[in-house]
Amino acid sequence: GDPKTIVGGWPGLPNGIDAAFTYKNGITYVFKGSKYWRYNRRNLDGDYPKEISEGFTGIPDNIDAAMVWGGNGKIYFYKGSKFWRFDPLKRPPVKSTYPKPVSNWEGIPDNIDAALQYTNGYTYFFKGDKYYRFNDRTFAVSKELENYLLN
């Protein structure tokens, strides 16, 4: 039955994870503190955990959220009032112009809890008991949802 323990479904993973995302190649990355784990399906994919500073150069420890954004296929990391764009095909993978303020994502609050890019053309940001539906085409919180949150 549900719920299940994290370690029961994801061998080697500790409780209390900070963030996770699945990349375009189907590999899932999970983050906690200064460490990250890599999974192929739900099988630990190598000798993990590893330091975030080793595998994700330029990304801080203790992140709040991570996602692959459908707008450009890059990986985004969020912590507090800042975000980083990570491109594994570039050297360095994080440009010197980062971090940038979360407020660049119009309508998204600081200190988000989680984020995900969904197949409907929207990205969802979660904070507390609310979520923000971000329109990837207009690069702003969806107006109909924004009106709902304000009322």
Side-chain angles (χ1 to χ4, degrees):
D2 289 323
K4 294 182 170 63
T5 62
I6 291 173
V7 73
W10 299 83
L13 198 59
N15 292 328
I17 62 173
D18 294 331
F21 71 86
T22 300
Y23 197 55
K24 298 176 281 190
N25 60 4
I27 301 296
T28 298
Y29 296 85
V30 182
F31 301 84
K32 179 178 182 175
S34 65
K35 310 265 189 226
Y36 77 97
W37 291 255
R38 187 175 77 191
Y39 288 85
N40 188 345
R41 299 194 176 139
R42 285 194 289 172
N43 299 313
L44 197 55
D45 190 24
D47 186 23
Y48 288 88
K50 293 185 179 178
E51 293 293 324
I52 292 172
S53 61
E54 293 174 18
F56 291 88
T57 305
I59 302 303
D61 295 343
N62 302 299
I63 59 172
D64 295 331
M67 69 162 178
V68 177
W69 187 49
N72 61 13
K74 308 287 189 266
I75 305 163
Y76 287 79
F77 292 90
Y78 300 84
K79 180 176 180 176
S81 64
K82 298 179 177 157
F83 77 93
W84 292 255
R85 184 178 74 189
F86 187 91
D87 185 346
L89 303 177
K90 302 280 183 181
R91 293 296 172 251
V94 177
K95 289 183 180 179
S96 62
T97 55
Y98 288 88
K100 293 185 178 182
V102 169
S103 60
N104 283 8
W105 295 77
E106 188 179 324
I108 302 304
D110 292 344
N111 303 301
I112 61 171
D113 295 325
L116 63 91
Q117 206 281 323
Y118 197 57
T119 58
N120 63 358
Y122 292 93
T123 298
Y124 292 83
F125 292 87
F126 300 85
K127 181 174 180 170
D129 63 351
K130 295 192 173 41
Y131 71 90
Y132 301 79
R133 187 173 71 178
F134 189 86
N135 187 320
D136 294 348
R137 290 174 297 283
T138 63
F139 207 74
V141 169
S142 178
K143 292 299 179 197
E144 57 273 14
L145 185 62
E146 186 177 79
N147 291 336
Y148 173 78
L149 289 171
L150 293 174
N151 295 323

